[in-house]
Amino acid sequence: EPEVTQTPSHQVTQMGQEVILRCVPISNHLYFYWYRQILGQKVEFLVSFYNNEISEKSEIFDDQFSVERPDGSNFTLKIRSTKLEDSAMYFCASSKTSGSAGELFFGEGSRLTVL
Amino acid sequence: DAKTTQPNSMESNEEEPVHLPCNHSTISGTDYIHWYRQLPSQGPEYVIHGLTSNVNNRMASLAIAEDRKSSTLILHRATLRDAAVYYCILRDVGETSGSRLTFGEGTQLTVNP
């Protein structure tokens, strides 16, 4: 069964460093998402991406964050200068369709620890 | 997204049916009802969704009240692997962008052997 894959599974970084989290969405999917989950808290939406541009972003997704699809298969989330509060599980997701009837397929997540 | 209300936790025994309730009294006529679950240390996983009629798939059944103000996710025979947090989420049929899922606290399901 096709799946969304994410790398790395765990990254430890120093505060202020740049981090890139990578995702390979399911191959025929057109819509891509990043979510995060701080330990013990709810899963939170960060951003959605379609046709090489951001279609929606949350208030969490500030100027420190960026996304891109550099080569038609990978979908990346960059945090330019990490803060302690960026420590969380980051989940990539993809879907074939947009809209309310579409189902999202999530990856296993990348755990980011900022020291 | 309209708000949903779920019990914080529920417990079940292995191989017994489980009924997970969700209240959504402010649901609009264009809201789909989605269920996702999150197993420990994993990403959320789609379970099922519906609009008005009851729905069945290989994972579960979704029973939707006639007034659509509540719904119930039914796991017909719970297994230990079904222990997870279950999220009931409403999504407006009018959404056309790659739009967000808004996760609440969900229901933590414990399955006893």
Side-chain angles (χ1 to χ4, degrees), chain A residues 21 60 76 93:
Chain A
L21 305 178
I60 302 168
T76 63

Side-chain angles (χ1 to χ4, degrees), chain A residues 6 9 19-20 40-41 66:
Chain A
Q6 292 186 240
S9 56
V19 160
I20 298 176
Q41 297 188 24
S66 62

Side-chain angles (χ1 to χ4, degrees), chain A residues 13-33:
Chain A
T13 190
Q14 295 290 325
M15 193 168 55
Q17 295 296 303
E18 177 183 282
V19 160
I20 298 176
L21 305 178
R22 291 182 169 80
C23 169
V24 180
I26 294 172
S27 62
N28 62 347
H29 285 190
L30 301 175
Y31 299 85
F32 314 111
Y33 313 82

